Amino acid sequence: MKTRHKTINYNAFCTKLYQTNPLKLVFPLHQFHRKYCFHSFRGDETDSDTEDIEQKRDIKNIILLDNNDTLAIKISECKSLQDIFDILRNNNNQLNWKNISMAIAMVRELQIIYYRVCMFEKNLNSYITPEDSFENILTNNDFLNLLNLMEEHYEFMNIQCLSYSLLCLHKIGVDINCTVSNKLSYRLQKILMTTPVEEIEPCILSRFTVSIVSHRDLLGLYILKDIWPIVLKKLNLCETYEDIKHISICLYNLPWFLNKSIMDNFVTIVEHTLLNKPQHDDKIKCIVKVLRLINSPYWINQNIDLTRSLLLNLQGVIKHIALYDMIQLQMIIVKQSEPYQLFEEIHNETSKWLSKADVDTDITVLRLLSCIVPSSSASRRKHIESLLRKQFLLNNSFSQLCIGPLFNIIRNLKTSDLHICNAYWSSVLDWLISGKPLIREHHKLLRICNRYMNFNNNMSGTYRHYKFENQMINWLNEELEQGVSAIIPSKFSKIFSFFISYPNENIGYEMPEVMVKKVLDTVGQYSVYDCYIISRGLNTAFINRKNKTSLPMFLDQYVRLCTALNKRCLEILNQEPNLSIDQINSLYRGYNHRYNVKEPELFYKILDRYKNFTSEHFSSRTIRELTYNLVTSDWYDAELLDKCLKYLIKNHKYLLAENVEKILTVFFLYGVNSEKFIEFLPYATEIINRDKFKMSGLNFMRASLALCYFYSLPTSIKDYLFSVEFLEKLDDELNNCYAKATYPLKVRQLLMILNRAVCIDYPEFDVPWFHTKYCEEIQSLVPKHTGSFYLDVEKRVGQLIKNKGYLKANSFSPYGYKLDFEIILNKSKQFKRENKNEKLVLLLLNEKDLRKTDNEMRGLSKLKQRHLEILGYRVVWIKKSIWNSMFMTEPEAKLSYLKSLIWKRP
């Protein structure tokens, strides 16, 4: 198989073509050689049809096949921008459309090289300055002259050159609405409309689509609506990998025109053309583009089986995939959370790049690192963190291209080093302030705002950058006053969400009433996602104001907004019967964000809507979201979870351990199982055992505790759980965690619970109890109960047990269980019992200890009862709801009730 990392004679190549960079500055040849042996020439994240490393050598054959124009060939061999401009100037009288097309194509080629090499040098504070860079090419007189020449010759260009030139202009940064771009696009549109579909190459359509959709306005859609029928006809004529690849690019960039019928047709063609066919380099590229389309937001859950089949089709060939495509593929894998086989292969392949990052950290490697951080071990994350500290954040500024990848890396690192977080957001702010107004367009600002909110949520709300927040709010205010976002619901919802989330002394703690009123007046226009965005903002706003006790205006606004959003979500459910499972999950999560203002009718309708789906509609991703929602709302739904289990059982060989842990934890928390869950347990045990070395310490312990509860903990997991290796891993995680106030306590408590569970449930494992001192420390800090429920029970028990020597309150069992009341029955002459050695404990059950669905005990309470019974206690529970019920108001009712519990014969 041909490899995309092919290395020809690079030394000769560099010496011949790239001894100087595009702006006549000396290129560091050793760095160029090192980088281009491995890196794709991918210029940015939008599609450009021909940016693979092999094709960069001979650009003239991309757009001018079989061309013998001497001047065009000469231009294609230029090694700098100035060389191109000199040729154009010296041959001004004999220039033709072929020369002009080749010139703009080579400008784009050199720009790609600049961003791959010179931006790396700039990141390291090298000698390259902004004045010498491609960033100022749009004001370069020679380049402006080239645009004028193109305007003179564009009418003679063939369709191939027209499409490639238009795409190059877009990628270079020329405004799509400028005169030359408009002329090219209208001429190309006219040719496409008058040319038989059979004669149009799909690459022409993909270039045109990518260029025109960059309008981001109605004009672009108006132009593309005439091209859409051609794309559909071409879809039905797809025969090769190249055809499908380019049509996938078109469909991906035109989501507004897609419907289920078209996607079903596309899927059928893909299955026929791609699946079960011999592996080929072009097929790999095609699969990546198809996967990106079917994993776009609306379609991500429509074709789970096809997605998995295509991903598995790439098994064994990951090492042959171009680096940029590998980045896209890794993003799809992370989003899908399956299949395990490919996730593992990609991780192993991409991890090799980490060793290169110390000396070769450019934008491409950063993008790659941003994909592998989520699945990296604690030691590897520590290495990546030190790399950032060394090369990008604390000692150096970074370029615009690094902003996205760096965000993903820092967000997933969850670092406790605030210097890194502050350096990143300060640099983003400086870039926004010092840059041109174009970079502060509303959609770009909103993207950055969304990143900040996600970052803040990932840090559990513990991180704030007040200067960034204040400046963003100022810009958003300007956009509301002067832009169009105030009248576009999807834009206004994002602005409103950010605006209310981050109060401080400078901007105040109340929400602007005029914005609240606007939301209330236009709430009927909001979609499922808009409602979710506003709800997330309200949740963050409430948390960030929780220490402000006197905010009556805010609380009134909060209740009015939550009530209106509940009503709107009910309307959506009633009006739209065919909501996707992703939309239902978003409705559910938004409802959970409004936890202070409940609407039972909405809650039950959301749960009821899940009945429209079968296990075939689920995926690892949707199950993960659903289980999170169920735990957040504290709800157990047996029918719904059984659907999830059916999917997990059927696809067990593709599952990741972190997703298996989530479902295990749900069943443990609620203290239930089912037929399907018992069937799933062996698969779950196998998967956790398989991935035990890769899981985070907290997730691995949660999974182990659940397996212990269901008597499914194997020796192999136990051995690792209580090994020096795992305890050292935990220490490393605790030393580098971001939430040092809470995370270490959570981990230590869970480790104690696990140690206790294994000691009591698995004595044959011979695991020592090493938490005695820890339990004693905790017990010394536990305050005496002062709640009315406890005091009332204590009073009644005291009336029954006259001899206080036989009654202990607030005591502790062996292994550290808290006992509300412990009664020794065998010492009392008052009690005539056959069992004279009986120990009895009275335990109180509050609402939080019971499942909402059926008022039964949760898993931790059941585990406590089981362990106490093994330790020789008879356990009696007293539910608060029963204790405070109406029939207990009768005289002596509570005493009689206690007597029946305490002296009830087994």
Side-chain angles (χ1 to χ4, degrees):
M1 180 188 299
K2 181 174 64 173
T3 172
R4 289 187 183 276
H5 296 155
K6 186 188 299 180
T7 57
I8 60 176
N9 190 341
Y10 271 89
N11 286 327
F13 176 72
C14 295
T15 302
K16 181 180 178 182
L17 294 181
Y18 295 107
Q19 289 179 339
T20 61
N21 76 5
L23 295 162
K24 290 291 187 183
L25 296 176
V26 179
F27 249 149
L29 285 181
H30 64 286
Q31 290 184 1
F32 185 88
H33 174 255
R34 182 182 68 234
K35 298 169 74 60
Y36 283 90
C37 286
F38 301 100
H39 288 201
S40 162
F41 276 81
R42 187 68 186 181
D44 47 46
E45 294 188 12
T46 54
D47 285 292
S48 181
D49 306 309
T50 49
E51 289 184 0
D52 296 330
I53 189 167
E54 296 90 349
Q55 293 173 309
K56 291 299 167 184
R57 307 299 182 259
D58 197 7
I59 190 67
K60 64 180 182 294
N61 284 330
I62 296 175
I63 60 174
L64 296 172
L65 293 173
D66 303 322
N67 175 57
N68 295 318
D69 188 295
T70 305
L71 199 54
I73 295 174
K74 192 174 180 182
I75 292 172
S76 72
E77 295 173 349
C78 285
K79 53 192 175 185
S80 74
L81 275 179
Q82 198 58 54
D83 288 347
I84 297 173
F85 295 149
D86 288 345
I87 290 176
L88 295 178
R89 189 184 303 109
N90 296 334
N91 298 276
N92 188 58
N93 296 328
Q94 54 181 346
L95 293 175
N96 58 38
W97 64 273
K98 297 178 181 178
N99 312 146
I100 304 303
S101 300
M102 186 59 65
I104 198 68
M106 283 305 300
V107 169
R108 171 59 182 157
E109 298 301 298
L110 294 175
Q111 184 192 43
I112 293 171
I113 294 172
Y114 168 75
Y115 281 118
R116 279 291 176 267
V117 179
C118 297
M119 290 303 284
F120 169 67
E121 295 300 320
K122 182 180 176 183
N123 284 337
L124 299 182
N125 286 339
S126 184
Y127 49 78
I128 296 178
T129 63
E131 289 73 23
D132 299 321
S133 75
F134 259 90
E135 296 169 39
N136 296 294
I137 192 172
L138 298 182
T139 58
N140 183 294
N141 289 330
D142 289 321
F143 180 73
L144 295 176
N145 181 57
L146 174 57
L147 296 185
N148 291 332
L149 290 171
M150 180 167 287
E151 199 170 340
E152 295 174 13
H153 293 85
Y154 80 95
E155 291 183 338
F156 305 102
M157 291 182 182
N158 63 23
I159 190 171
Q160 192 73 251
C161 287
L162 272 174
S163 65
Y164 201 83
S165 298
L166 183 63
L167 181 64
C168 287
L169 290 178
H170 162 57
K171 293 301 185 76
I172 291 169
V174 176
D175 189 348
I176 194 67
N177 292 311
C178 76
T179 304
V180 63
S181 293
N182 273 331
K183 288 185 176 180
L184 262 66
S185 62
Y186 283 125
R187 172 157 174 76
L188 182 54
Q189 181 186 9
K190 184 177 179 181
I191 294 176
L192 288 171
M193 298 294 292
T194 56
T195 303
V197 175
E198 294 79 9
E199 299 177 15
I200 299 175
E201 294 184 37
C203 63
I204 308 294
L205 291 173
S206 66
R207 292 170 189 161
F208 185 67
T209 301
V210 169
S211 302
I212 299 302
V213 84
S214 64
H215 274 282
R216 289 185 174 272
D217 56 19
L218 292 176
L219 177 60
L221 293 181
Y222 180 78
I223 294 172
L224 289 167
K225 76 175 178 59
D226 294 329
I227 303 302
W228 180 244
I230 301 175
V231 174
L232 292 183
K233 291 178 183 176
K234 204 66 186 175
L235 170 61
N236 292 318
L237 296 174
C238 284
E239 294 180 347
T240 67
Y241 299 141
E242 278 292 302
D243 291 344
I244 294 179
K245 182 185 80 171
H246 290 295
I247 293 302
S248 297
I249 293 171
C250 293
L251 299 181
Y252 177 80
N253 284 281
L254 295 172
W256 313 277
F257 299 155
L258 282 175
N259 58 36
K260 192 173 188 309
S261 175
I262 295 169
M263 281 300 294
D264 287 345
N265 185 32
F266 174 78
V267 166
T268 301
I269 293 171
V270 166
E271 290 174 339
H272 175 74
T273 309
L274 285 181
L275 297 183
N276 303 316
K277 296 295 177 67
Q279 204 60 269
H280 187 275
D281 196 42
D282 289 337
K283 179 182 176 182
I284 296 172
K285 188 80 173 178
C286 178
I287 287 177
V288 174
K289 296 302 180 188
V290 170
L291 283 169
R292 193 180 65 159
L293 170 61
I294 62 178
N295 279 274
S296 54
Y298 186 77
W299 305 105
I300 190 168
N301 285 309
Q302 306 292 317
N303 297 285
I304 299 298
D305 289 338
L306 176 61
T307 297
R308 188 189 301 114
S309 297
L310 290 173
L311 288 171
L312 291 172
N313 225 250
L314 296 175
Q315 271 189 275
V317 299
I318 295 300
K319 61 185 178 182
H320 300 297
I321 295 180
L323 183 57
Y324 181 80
D325 289 335
M326 196 183 298
I327 293 169
Q328 284 194 315
L329 195 59
Q330 177 76 340
M331 292 171 69
I332 291 169
I333 293 289
V334 169
K335 190 183 294 185
Q336 285 288 349
S337 294
E338 62 174 71
Y340 163 78
Q341 294 87 338
L342 199 63
F343 194 100
E344 188 71 2
E345 188 175 347
I346 290 178
H347 181 75
N348 291 338
E349 190 66 30
T350 54
S351 294
K352 298 174 185 177
W353 289 84
L354 190 58
S355 59
K356 302 177 183 296
D358 285 316
V359 294
D360 199 20
T361 311
D362 71 347
I363 178 61
T364 307
V365 172
L366 271 181
R367 283 177 174 149
L368 191 60
L369 291 181
S370 73
C371 294
I372 67 174
V373 166
S375 57
S376 295
S377 63
S379 59
R380 178 159 289 173
R381 290 187 182 202
K382 190 174 181 180
H383 177 64
I384 295 173
E385 184 177 323
S386 65
L387 180 67
L388 294 182
R389 192 180 293 109
K390 172 185 173 184
Q391 292 196 359
F392 280 90
L393 297 175
L394 300 187
N395 300 318
N396 305 284
S397 60
F398 52 88
S399 74
Q400 169 193 351
L401 294 178
C402 300
I403 287 176
L406 277 174
F407 167 76
N408 288 329
I409 293 173
I410 299 171
R411 176 190 177 189
N412 288 306
L413 277 178
K414 296 185 177 181
T415 174
S416 60
D417 188 345
L418 292 182
H419 293 298
I420 290 181
C421 303
N422 289 334
Y424 174 78
W425 289 108
S426 295
S427 296
V428 171
L429 183 58
D430 292 342
W431 169 67
L432 288 171
I433 292 173
S434 60
K436 298 175 182 178
L438 187 67
I439 67 173
R440 293 189 294 275
E441 290 180 338
H442 62 275
H443 61 274
K444 295 176 182 176
L445 284 180
L446 289 177
R447 185 185 304 123
I448 294 173
C449 285
N450 188 58
R451 282 177 179 169
Y452 183 82
M453 294 187 75
N454 286 334
F455 184 87
N456 184 266
N457 289 341
N458 264 36
M459 300 287 280
S460 299
T462 59
Y463 177 78
R464 299 282 298 276
H465 193 293
Y466 293 100
K467 186 177 179 181
F468 175 86
E469 294 170 7
N470 291 343
Q471 184 58 63
M472 290 302 293
I473 285 175
N474 289 337
W475 281 328
L476 294 177
N477 260 329
E478 291 177 12
E479 168 60 23
L480 289 176
E481 293 172 1
Q482 304 170 16
V484 298
S485 296
I487 60 174
I488 302 176
S490 61
K491 306 287 185 186
F492 183 76
S493 62
K494 294 182 179 71
I495 292 177
F496 180 76
S497 181
F498 185 87
F499 205 100
I500 66 175
S501 292
Y502 305 111
N504 60 55
E505 294 178 356
N506 295 331
I507 63 175
Y509 289 90
E510 308 287 359
M511 291 187 279
E513 180 61 26
V514 63
M515 297 183 74
V516 173
K517 190 174 185 305
K518 183 173 179 61
V519 173
L520 295 175
D521 290 343
T522 58
V523 70
Q525 300 176 26
Y526 291 131
S527 67
V528 169
Y529 187 66
D530 297 332
C531 291
Y532 163 71
I533 288 293
I534 296 176
S535 300
R536 182 182 68 169
L538 287 170
N539 181 51
T540 306
F542 192 88
I543 292 172
N544 287 337
R545 291 170 174 83
K546 63 184 177 182
N547 294 326
K548 305 296 175 182
T549 55
S550 56
L551 289 173
M553 182 178 172
F554 167 76
L555 294 175
D556 174 68
Q557 292 169 330
Y558 179 87
V559 171
R560 283 189 288 145
L561 287 167
C562 288
T563 302
L565 289 170
N566 283 337
K567 182 179 178 182
R568 174 57 186 156
C569 291
L570 264 174
E571 289 176 357
I572 292 173
L573 284 170
N574 292 330
Q575 294 169 5
E576 300 183 30
N578 298 317
L579 293 173
S580 69
I581 193 168
D582 265 343
Q583 289 173 305
I584 300 299
N585 275 338
S586 293
L587 280 174
Y588 197 172
R589 190 160 192 172
Y591 178 81
N592 285 335
H593 280 319
R594 304 186 296 273
Y595 61 89
N596 288 302
V597 183
K598 294 300 185 183
E599 176 53 64
E601 182 184 358
L602 173 60
F603 178 71
Y604 290 118
K605 280 203 171 186
I606 290 173
L607 290 175
D608 188 63
R609 188 60 68 89
Y610 282 107
K611 294 179 180 177
N612 294 344
F613 304 106
T614 66
S615 61
E616 301 300 321
H617 293 96
F618 285 91
S619 67
S620 289
R621 177 176 167 272
T622 54
I623 290 173
R624 183 171 181 153
E625 179 74 12
L626 175 57
T627 52
Y628 173 85
N629 285 333
L630 287 170
V631 171
T632 302
S633 61
D634 191 19
W635 196 258
Y636 171 72
D637 190 308
E639 180 183 353
L640 188 51
L641 286 171
D642 271 357
K643 288 182 180 180
C644 296
L645 289 169
K646 285 179 184 178
Y647 174 86
L648 297 174
I649 292 168
K650 180 181 178 182
N651 302 287
H652 64 90
K653 60 183 177 181
Y654 309 122
L655 303 180
L656 298 177
E658 63 180 39
N659 295 325
V660 171
E661 179 269 318
K662 298 293 185 294
I663 201 78
L664 285 174
T665 299
V666 167
F667 278 86
F668 166 65
L669 285 177
Y670 294 128
V672 295
N673 58 31
S674 65
E675 209 174 293
K676 282 291 174 188
F677 182 74
I678 298 301
E679 184 181 350
F680 173 66
L681 261 178
Y683 300 123
T685 305
E686 180 184 345
I687 292 167
I688 298 299
N689 187 47
R690 180 197 70 195
D691 289 351
K692 59 180 179 286
F693 300 111
K694 302 167 192 170
M695 298 176 71
S696 74
L698 191 63
N699 285 346
F700 177 62
M701 288 193 294
R702 282 173 176 162
S704 300
L705 182 58
L707 292 176
C708 187
Y709 177 79
F710 293 108
Y711 289 113
S712 298
L713 187 71
T715 305
S716 53
I717 290 181
K718 178 269 299 182
D719 289 341
Y720 177 62
L721 186 62
F722 298 104
S723 67
V724 174
E725 179 185 356
F726 178 70
L727 294 178
E728 288 177 347
K729 176 183 176 180
L730 272 186
D731 286 338
D732 201 25
E733 285 186 12
L734 297 181
N735 290 333
N736 295 284
C737 70
Y738 67 98
K740 292 190 179 296
T742 57
Y743 188 78
L745 297 176
K746 189 185 298 185
V747 168
R748 186 69 188 272
Q749 178 72 5
L750 184 55
L751 185 60
M752 182 276 290
I753 294 173
L754 251 176
N755 186 200
R756 178 170 62 197
V758 173
C759 286
I760 297 175
D761 285 327
Y762 293 90
E764 67 274 16
F765 284 167
D766 200 25
V767 171
W769 170 244
F770 53 88
H771 278 89
T772 302
K773 186 176 180 180
Y774 170 76
C775 287
E776 289 173 353
E777 291 173 357
I778 295 298
Q779 291 166 16
S780 66
L781 300 174
V782 174
K784 188 178 185 301
H785 287 298
T786 57
S788 58
F789 177 33
Y790 179 87
L791 294 176
D792 195 17
V793 174
E794 184 179 39
K795 175 184 174 183
R796 310 293 177 175
V797 172
Q799 292 174 359
L800 289 176
I801 312 297
K802 304 298 183 181
N803 190 334
K804 303 307 177 186
Y806 305 136
L807 172 65
K808 293 181 183 179
N810 289 300
S811 62
F812 292 89
S813 76
Y815 298 99
Y817 273 118
K818 175 76 165 56
L819 306 178
D820 295 318
F821 303 99
E822 181 179 0
I823 302 173
I824 310 298
L825 297 179
N826 62 331
K827 298 288 186 180
S828 177
K829 299 177 182 178
Q830 179 182 351
F831 308 138
K832 305 294 184 180
R833 297 294 303 264
E834 294 178 6
N835 182 5
K836 300 206 177 278
N837 297 315
E838 185 175 40
K839 296 184 294 183
L840 180 142
V841 290
L842 288 177
L843 301 178
L844 307 186
L845 279 173
N846 291 287
E847 288 84 351
K848 63 182 179 62
D849 302 312
L850 302 169
R851 298 194 298 263
K852 285 183 180 179
T853 42
D854 52 15
N855 214 33
E856 292 298 319
M857 287 193 301
R858 294 173 176 276
L860 277 171
S861 297
K862 287 185 175 181
L863 186 66
K864 182 175 183 178
Q865 176 171 335
R866 185 170 85 193
H867 286 171
L868 289 175
E869 288 174 346
I870 292 174
L871 293 172
Y873 293 94
R874 179 163 69 92
V875 181
V876 173
W877 295 95
I878 304 175
K879 292 183 180 179
K880 185 177 181 179
S881 57
I882 296 178
W883 188 260
N884 293 329
S885 60
M886 186 173 292
F887 79 88
M888 285 293 190
T889 58
E890 295 293 326
E892 303 300 318
K894 290 182 177 178
L895 283 176
S896 299
Y897 178 67
L898 281 176
K899 286 179 182 179
S900 66
L901 292 176
I902 294 173
W903 290 289
K904 178 181 179 181
R905 289 184 177 276

